[in-house]
Amino acid sequence: MRIGLSINYTDGFKEVAAEVADLERAGLDIVFVPEAYSFDAPSALGYLAAKTERVQLASGIMQLYTRTPTLTAMTAAGLDYVSDGRFILGLGASGPQVIEGFHGVKYDAPIGRTREVLEICRKVWRRERLEYQGKHYTVPLPEGEGTGLGKALKLINHPVRENIPVLLAALGPKNVELAAELAEGWQPIFFLPEKADSVWGESVKAGLAKRDPKLGDLEVYAGPALAIGDNVEPLREFVKPHLALYIGGMGAKGKNFYHTLATKYGYGAEADRIQELFLAGKKEEAAKAVPDDLVRDVCLIGSAGFVKERVAAFREAGVTALNVVPLAGTAAERVQLIEQLRAICD
């Protein structure tokens, strides 16, 4: 099983790059660079490409609505070039709170737009003259919608690879089905191995039934928090505010994808309570309302034996990569955690 890690570059790219180089030597396979409403992901990814040698570099995630499809393709091709073919394009729709609240772009038709963006990206990477007419994107713009002067073009550069791996962050049934059909990888959130098949199984099967064999097997990336030791269970409390933020605060009542997921996991009453408290501004109480069992099962926090058992459960549920969040205060401690997990996964 491969091991990934999402970086936090609020302290600066140089400091993070030095740590990633150490993590690479410790056995890390993939580095994910987030892009919420912070610095853009490509800047950090390009910097990391120059400072690393082996580790794969993934956007985790670039938001669907914030770039044109062709710019997304150009950016991916550029990052694949500077990293000598180590880039993974992580894409996702994000949510209305970020897309409309920070970017001022209408959040609409995420499934249809995802399909069209992927189709356009792959045409660009194959250096086809780009002529595309979809429901959401038309390239070039036809006369009447533009000046009529736009002509079909193809990418000037020759990409390192014409098939850059695409990873889709997907949560809802139709989004997950799309990921299983069209992407090399799928990244769910708050993956609970024992409940994954009942929540997503039918969607994955439906997507795989339409999948092009050339894409290979579907990679599944889970994102558990990580702490290994004999007395680390209290660290599970640090995960609760994060879960409460998503279950309670990422959307209004009836429009929160993460609340729906917790409900499908069997925590409907608890999810309602978390949301009620969070939306009332009682964030600490909302965090305390997050069930202990939920935190335990979506994380890798415990003794080496416990973590080994949970890694086996993730593997049994189809996970091929663990994009972990190390609960450690220093770079040296994070490196040690990756070394420990590498030994467990091997």
Side-chain angles (χ1 to χ4, degrees), residues 224-253:
L226 174 69
I228 305 173
D230 293 331
N231 299 294
V232 298
E233 287 79 8
L235 292 177
R236 293 173 185 169
E237 294 299 314
F238 288 95
V239 178
K240 289 187 175 183
H242 183 66
L243 281 165
L245 169 64
Y246 278 78
I247 296 170
M250 287 295 184
K253 289 185 177 181

Side-chain angles (χ1 to χ4, degrees), residues 266-286:
Y267 295 101
E270 293 87 344
D272 287 345
R273 180 60 176 159
I274 293 165
Q275 187 176 62
E276 178 185 348
L277 290 167
F278 198 97
L279 294 180
K282 300 177 181 179
K283 297 180 180 180
E284 291 186 7
E285 292 182 46

Side-chain angles (χ1 to χ4, degrees), residues 30 66 103 202 211 276 304 319:
I30 315 163
T66 56
H103 293 283
E202 291 302 317
R211 186 178 180 83
E276 178 185 348
V319 172

Side-chain angles (χ1 to χ4, degrees), residues 140-169:
L141 277 178
E143 190 171 356
E145 292 187 28
T147 63
L149 300 175
K151 305 299 179 184
L153 302 172
K154 65 179 179 180
L155 189 69
I156 293 173
N157 310 80
H158 288 260
V160 174
R161 296 178 292 175
E162 67 172 28
N163 292 311
I164 296 171
V166 174
L167 166 67
L168 290 183

Side-chain angles (χ1 to χ4, degrees), residues 180-257:
E181 177 191 353
L182 293 181
E184 281 81 1
W186 165 46
Q187 184 179 19
I189 194 170
F190 307 139
F191 191 91
L192 201 165
E194 289 79 6
K195 299 289 182 70
D197 186 64
S198 64
V199 173
W200 291 305
E202 291 302 317
S203 296
V204 172
K205 290 174 186 175
L208 292 178
K210 297 178 284 185
R211 186 178 180 83
D212 187 338
K214 293 180 181 178
L215 289 173
D217 294 335
L218 179 67
E219 297 274 354
V220 180
Y221 296 74
L226 174 69
I228 305 173
D230 293 331
N231 299 294
V232 298
E233 287 79 8
L235 292 177
R236 293 173 185 169
E237 294 299 314
F238 288 95
V239 178
K240 289 187 175 183
H242 183 66
L243 281 165
L245 169 64
Y246 278 78
I247 296 170
M250 287 295 184
K253 289 185 177 181
K255 296 182 179 181
N256 182 318
F257 309 136

Side-chain angles (χ1 to χ4, degrees), residues 285-308:
E285 292 182 46
K288 291 177 181 178
V290 175
D292 292 338
D293 290 352
L294 176 60
V295 177
R296 180 197 65 206
D297 293 341
V298 300
C299 295
L300 296 174
I301 302 175
S303 66
F306 171 83
V307 171
K308 185 175 182 178

Side-chain angles (χ1 to χ4, degrees), residues 59-76:
S59 53
I61 59 169
M62 288 207 303
Q63 296 149 7
L64 196 67
Y65 298 87
T66 56
R67 297 171 177 84
T68 66
T70 42
L71 179 57
T72 296
M74 292 163 63
T75 302

